[in-house]
Structure formats: C-alpha cells, structure tokens
Amino acid sequence: MSALTPGFRGHRRTESDRVPPGQYLVEDFPVLSAGPTPSVATDGWTFTVVNETGERTVWDWTEFNRLPHESPTVDIHCVTRWSKLDTSWRGVSVDTLLADVETAADFAVIHSFDGYTTNVPLQDILDGQAWVATGYDGSPLTAEHGGPARFLVPHLYFWKSAKWVSGITLHDEDEPGFWERAGYHDYGDPWLEQRYQSGW
Amino acid sequence: MNDHVDGNMLAGALWQVFRPDITTAEGRCATCGMTGPVASLHVYTAAPGTVARCAGCQQVTLQLVQSANSMWLSTAGLSYLRFPNQLR
C-alpha cells in the first residue's frame, strides 16, 4: 500500500469550496441598483454614527480619509446568484468607526444617501468583519458601485453592503431594511442560502 | 360586542381590484401625492427585486420580490390604487 495518495494535495482550499450553494462565479462586476445612481459629492459628504441614545459621531470626507485604512481582499456573494472571488477594497473598519461610540445595542441599520437601508446584528460588523470602503481594485470607488463610499460586509449577501452609505444607527431592537421588509431574509447568510423570509 | 367579520368578507370586493390590468389602475404616491397610472411609474429591474418609483419624486412606490415559490408585493409607497368599479 502506498504511503501517499496520488493526486492528494492536502487541505488547500479550492475555488469550489468558496462558492456558496446556488451561486455561480463571475469575472466582471455586475451593477445592481434599485433606482437612479445618485451623484454624491465628497464636498458636503458626511458619515454619521448614531447610538441608541441618540449621540452622534460625524466625520466629513477629509476627517474620514485621515482615519486608519485597511485593504481587505474578500469574496462577495449577491442574492441574484453571482459570486466574485478575491475582490480588493480599501476602507475604514467598522471597529475603527465605533471605537469611541458608547453602545450596548444589539442591532445596526446601515443608511444610504438615497434612502436605502439594511439591517445587521451589531456583532456581525465588528471584529474585522465589515468596512466602509472608498476604494476598489486600486482606484476610488465609482458611483455605479456605490462611490464615494459603500458598506462592505462580505460574509452576508451583498444587498447588506449598502451603496452610497451615509451612516450607521444602533438599536436595541432589530429594524428590517429596504429589502428585508419586502420579502428578503432578515440575516442573509449565503452559505445557508438565506435568500427569502423564513419558510418561503 | 364582536363588531367585525373575518377577511373572507373582502373576497367579493377585492376580486374586482385584482382582476383588471393593474397597469391601468391609478396610483397615488404617498410621498408627493402625484397620481397617475401604474404604467407611468419608473421601474428598475437590475436589483434583487423589482422597484417602481414615482415619476414625479422618485420615491419608491412599489416593490415586488419573487422566489421560486412566492411573490411579495409591497405597495407601502402608494396611498391608494384606484380601479374602475366593475359592479356598477
């Protein structure tokens, strides 16, 4: 009996291990939008965190760009069934944005300049799991992909990564967002195919 | 006193509402009050669901989400849909 199995390559993760059930891989970057692309200028742009007692923390574009930035490379999974591997972003970790915010909240709502909202448990956007991204693939983030800044929480379906992001509000109770109120799943784990509201 | 009846009472009236061509119904935007046929809404389909926006103020009037087994229709952005009364 051979001591080695021919063709065995150990436990290196293959591409197929990185594609959740019901998804297919794309090389391009599809643009999805529930409305006209807003023109959000960096002049007058602000990012606002509001905790559950109403205390506000606000950064303008200049202040935001002085914050420490990270360069995550992540896989993203859209509920419309495309996945894209190894996407490269530049942005500020939510850990940095919430570092000085006093909160005992359990939930967050991500807000966009066009009125879009999406909800996430607060624990899902801490500990290096989420960013506010201003760069993609080495360039400033374009408007069609959510520029000047979009949310990025890649372990959930990509509708949770709100484009044209304007801020985060923190809440004691879960508050479903734009798609979650309209039939999509409250949490949206791509590995569990949590596309629609439970039971449907 | 029990002064209500159950939802089966709606069957006759709502049969009229959901039978005609919905695109000819008149909708009123809950945000700006503009009225017009459903066919005049601005519809975006490159999204996880279909989104219809008011032609006047661009606020969302209607959302439609479809799975293999179900459809969800939200008309939260409309204050009404007006249909011709076909029983007259």
Side-chain angles (χ1 to χ4, degrees), chain A residues 100-174:
Chain A
D100 296 325
V101 174
E102 277 192 34
T103 184
D106 291 323
F107 300 97
V109 175
I110 316 305
H111 298 259
S112 298
F113 282 101
D114 66 342
Y116 181 85
T117 57
T118 188
N119 55 307
V120 284
L122 182 56
Q123 66 178 12
D124 274 83
I125 58 174
L126 299 176
D127 301 324
Q129 296 183 94
W131 298 264
V132 172
T134 56
Y136 172 72
D137 206 17
S139 299
L141 189 60
T142 59
E144 68 175 0
H145 286 303
R150 79 176 295 161
F151 204 67
L152 178 65
V153 56
H155 70 286
L156 301 177
Y157 278 126
F158 209 46
W159 89 75
K160 300 282 187 180
S161 294
K163 294 179 173 184
W164 312 297
V165 69
S166 62
I168 302 170
T169 54
L170 304 174
H171 304 268
D172 294 326
E173 307 289 334
D174 195 15

Side-chain angles (χ1 to χ4, degrees), chain B residues 13-79:
Chain B
L14 291 185
W15 175 81
Q16 296 180 74
V17 170
F18 290 106
R19 188 170 150 275
D21 178 0
I22 184 79
T23 60
T24 63
E26 180 187 80
R28 181 183 184 278
C29 174
T31 303
C32 74
M34 180 171 160
T35 58
V38 167
S40 71
L41 298 173
H42 293 186
V43 178
Y44 296 83
T45 58
T50 300
V51 176
R53 292 176 178 269
C54 173
C57 72
Q58 291 296 314
Q59 288 298 306
V60 175
T61 53
L62 188 151
Q63 283 169 275
L64 185 64
V65 169
Q66 299 178 72
S67 73
N69 304 317
S70 302
M71 295 176 75
W72 288 261
L73 173 64
S74 166
T75 55
L78 291 171
S79 56

Side-chain angles (χ1 to χ4, degrees), chain A residues 7-20 25 75 77 85-86 191:
Chain A
F8 181 69
R9 290 162 183 259
H11 294 289
R12 190 173 63 185
R13 212 170 168 212
T14 64
E15 261 192 9
S16 60
D17 292 334
R18 295 164 61 182
V19 183
L25 283 180
D75 301 342
H77 312 291
L85 305 182
D86 296 321
W191 294 97

Side-chain angles (χ1 to χ4, degrees), chain A residues 29-66:
Chain A
F29 193 164
V31 174
L32 273 72
S33 186
T37 298
S39 177
V40 180
T42 52
D43 282 355
W45 181 93
T46 55
F47 190 85
T48 306
V49 174
V50 184
N51 75 0
E52 67 274 29
T53 64
E55 286 178 52
R56 302 166 70 85
T57 309
V58 185
W59 295 265
D60 66 19
W61 185 252
T62 303
E63 292 165 338
F64 190 87
N65 280 288
R66 284 195 196 116

